[in-house]
Amino acid sequence: AQSVTQPDIHITVSEGASLELRCNYSYGATPYLFWYVQSPGQGLQLLLKYFSGDTLVQGIKGFEAEFKRSQSSFNLRKPSVHWSDAAEYFCAVGAAGGATNKLIFGTGTLLAVQP
Amino acid sequence: DVKVTQSSRYLVKRTGEKVFLECVQDMDHENMFWYRQDPGLGLRLIYFSYDVKMKEKGDIPEGYSVSREKKERFSLILESASTNQTSMYLCASSPTGKKGTQYFGPGTRLTVL
């Protein structure tokens, strides 16, 4: 069965520091992988996605993620965090061959940014 | 920009009431979804619809039903609300051509007393 694991429930970083949020997935075929962000009081917004090709993908707001098939991982990174990045981040996996656009979401990582 | 709107941001209902949560999207998307979001559990899919009048159960459909009479509108119905349905409810839509890319509404925080 498909699943997504985000091992870090809560992370605190200082403003200007680098960030890496971990995501591991379980899926038998080629997955589609996504990172979404939820700012306080808002719905989710797509940060970036991986379908195929270059395993390093760039997203909005200066985020990037790297797909590593051997590790079943799709970690999100940002070289320098801004206070406005404080939010909850969700990794998701979708079925590459699926007929619908269903996603399986991880449990989320809540990011706090210290001044 | 794609816009997904939900009828209420906050809702308070009594146990046993019938509750309707409405979601409207303005981009002619074929697929629509209802999730509930609970702390520590992430987003869990309740129901989704891939066409008008078509619906499929998600991972936690018990206690819920849905209706999609028009392409732009997807309603979630709690036939008899219970306290364990107190949660944040998120609606999303997605075009068939953009695999997995979903556009979310702002959510409805439902409290059942």
Side-chain angles (χ1 to χ4, degrees):
Chain A
Q2 302 168 49
S3 66
V4 178
T5 302
Q6 294 182 247
D8 304 307
I9 297 172
H10 190 275
I11 283 182
T12 300
V13 299
S14 297
E15 192 168 15
S18 64
L19 172 70
E20 182 168 25
L21 302 183
R22 296 183 290 165
C23 173
N24 293 96
Y25 69 91
S26 173
Y27 189 66
T30 302
Y32 291 162
L33 294 161
F34 304 81
W35 276 100
Y36 282 82
V37 60
Q38 185 180 33
S39 298
Q42 305 292 320
L44 276 71
Q45 180 185 20
L46 179 66
L47 274 179
L48 48 78
K49 58 190 176 186
Y50 171 78
F51 286 176
S52 64
D54 192 346
T55 56
L56 184 64
V57 293
Q58 303 296 321
I60 62 171
K61 305 185 182 189
F63 285 92
E64 67 178 25
E66 187 171 12
F67 171 57
K68 293 185 177 180
R69 185 185 299 276
S70 61
Q71 298 177 20
S72 297
S73 70
F74 188 57
N75 294 348
L76 182 71
R77 300 193 294 247
K78 186 170 185 178
S80 178
V81 170
H82 188 262
W83 63 266
S84 60
D85 293 324
E88 190 158 21
Y89 293 80
F90 293 92
C91 182
V93 63
T100 67
N101 288 8
K102 283 177 60 178
L103 295 176
I104 304 295
F105 284 87
T107 52
T109 297
L110 187 61
L111 174 66
V113 180
Q114 285 181 335
Chain B
D1 276 354
V2 176
K3 191 163 186 183
V4 179
T5 57
Q6 296 184 228
S7 50
S8 306
R9 292 299 301 270
Y10 300 93
L11 208 53
V12 179
K13 295 292 181 181
R14 297 283 180 187
T15 301
E17 280 192 79
K18 189 169 187 176
V19 181
F20 293 86
L21 302 183
E22 304 285 339
C23 175
V24 177
Q25 51 98 359
D26 66 357
M27 284 301 291
D28 203 37
H29 290 170
E30 295 82 5
N31 305 284
M32 295 188 75
F33 306 83
W34 275 107
Y35 297 91
R36 66 176 282 174
Q37 181 180 13
D38 300 288
L41 298 178
L43 276 71
R44 293 180 291 167
L45 182 64
I46 304 171
Y47 269 96
F48 68 99
S49 169
Y50 51 90
D51 202 350
V52 175
K53 297 190 186 293
M54 306 303 289
K55 61 186 179 185
E56 284 196 24
K57 294 179 180 179
D59 300 317
I60 52 164
E62 297 79 17
Y64 303 94
S65 62
V66 290
S67 173
R68 194 167 180 202
E69 296 296 318
K70 294 185 177 182
K71 193 173 187 180
E72 68 271 18
R73 188 180 298 271
F74 192 36
S75 303
L76 180 69
I77 304 155
L78 287 65
E79 295 289 343
S80 178
S82 64
T83 55
N84 63 11
Q85 292 179 309
T86 291
S87 187
M88 171 69 86
Y89 290 88
L90 292 170
C91 175
S93 71
S94 177
T96 298
K98 279 190 170 183
K99 284 291 187 183
T101 302
Q102 296 186 10
Y103 300 86
F104 283 82
T108 295
R109 184 164 294 282
L110 172 67
T111 302
V112 182
L113 301 176

